[in-house]
Every structure is written in structure tokens, then in C-alpha cells.
């Protein structure tokens, strides 16, 4: 299986376990010693630290965090450059496989795109395992 798909499946399993256990899904602590792109802005640096709720597809990095009863997905480019909402939506579609699009809120940006969905909807609809992209 593709390593990006394997990682996606691990991240989704971790998310579902945290939601079921009512654990807060926190961003990792910032580690200034990690290498950073000269183009990187603050949001693009989120998720560089190893954690259970991040991964990448191609040149796109994703990071989840929990906000009370909402799940927040942050999508950035690995190189820290600009990305369009359309590019990020392709990543979100892989992560939120099975969730009706109408339940996902997009907050567009320039260097990062942000998606929000209720924890209950993640538990109800998300496909735990996918096989390919």
C-alpha cells in the first residue's frame, strides 16, 4: 500500500480513538530546532513536529487539531508557498472520505486552508480505511 495512504489511515484511526475517548486533539509543541523553509510562515510550520495527527500527500501537509466539539484540519504546502482552496480540497477529500461535503466548512487563506467539521459527523461518516488515491 502507498505510504501516504497508510499514514492517512493511521491518522484517521488516531482521530476516531481520540474522539471516542473524548480526548482533546492538540497541536504539537513548536520545535524551533527543526529545519524550516525560507518561504514558511507561522501556519506552514504547524505540524512539522512528529505527532499522531499529521501527514502529507505529495507536496501538501495536513495537521488536525480539536476545538471543543469541532475538528480542525489545516492544509499547507510543504515548501510553505501559497496554495489554492482547490488544492487543499483535494487533500481534505481524501482525509474526509465518506463525509458529505455540505458538513465541511472551509475557511480559505493564502498560505493555508482550514476545514472544520463536527466530531459527531467524523464518527458517523468518515471512512476509516481507504486503499488508494
Amino acid at each position: 500500500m502507498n505510504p501516504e495512504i497508510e499514514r492517512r489511515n493511521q491518522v484517521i484511526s488516531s482521530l476516531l480513538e481520540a474522539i471516542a475517548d473524548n480526548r482533546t486533539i492538540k497541536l504539537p509543541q513548536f520545535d524551533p530546532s527543526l529545519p524550516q523553509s525560507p518561504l514558511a510562515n507561522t501556519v506552514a510550520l504547524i505540524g512539522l513536529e512528529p505527532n499522531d495527527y499529521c501527514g502529507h500527500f505529495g507536496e501538501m501537509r495536513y495537521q488536525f487539531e480539536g476545538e471543543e466539539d469541532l475538528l480542525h484540519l489545516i492544509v499547507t504546502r510543504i515548501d510553505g508557498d501559497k496554495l489554492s482552496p482547490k488544492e487543499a480540497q483535494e487533500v481534505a477529500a481524501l482525509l474526509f472520505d465518506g463525509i458529505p461535503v455540505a458538513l465541511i466548512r472551509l475557511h480559505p487563506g493564502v498560505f493555508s486552508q482550514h476545514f472544520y467539521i463536527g466530531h459527531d459527523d467524523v464518527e458517523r461518516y468518515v471512512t476509516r480505511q481507504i486503499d488508494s488515491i
Side-chain angles (χ1 to χ4, degrees):
M1 181 183 294
N2 175 327
E4 292 174 344
I5 294 296
E6 282 185 47
R7 179 64 185 155
R8 178 263 181 212
N9 292 341
Q10 291 169 347
V11 169
I12 294 300
S13 289
S14 294
L15 285 173
L16 291 172
E17 288 171 22
I19 291 168
D21 294 343
N22 201 28
R23 282 184 280 131
T24 302
I25 300 164
K26 296 184 179 184
L27 291 173
Q29 292 294 318
F30 177 68
D31 183 350
S33 70
L34 291 173
Q36 300 168 15
S37 164
L39 298 175
N41 58 52
T42 304
V43 174
L45 299 175
I46 293 172
L48 289 178
E49 301 82 6
N51 68 88
D52 292 337
Y53 309 110
C54 72
H56 69 87
F57 287 111
E59 298 300 314
M60 304 296 167
R61 179 183 316 124
Y62 60 87
Q63 173 70 55
F64 285 98
E65 73 159 326
E67 296 183 346
E68 296 178 11
D69 62 343
L70 286 178
L71 185 64
H72 175 201
L73 167 64
I74 304 163
V75 179
T76 60
R77 293 183 58 82
I78 289 173
D79 64 8
D81 206 354
K82 296 177 183 179
L83 81 153
S84 70
K86 184 178 187 294
E87 291 172 303
Q89 285 170 323
E90 292 172 7
V91 172
L94 292 167
L95 296 165
F96 292 145
D97 185 58
I99 298 176
V101 176
L103 298 177
I104 303 168
R105 183 177 140 233
L106 167 64
H107 183 103
V110 175
F111 294 95
S112 61
Q113 307 299 330
H114 302 262
F115 301 86
Y116 299 87
I117 185 164
H119 286 179
D120 293 345
D121 294 323
V122 173
E123 286 182 304
R124 184 177 305 126
Y125 293 109
V126 75
T127 304
R128 185 178 287 267
Q129 300 285 316
I130 60 174
D131 298 323
S132 63
I133 53 177

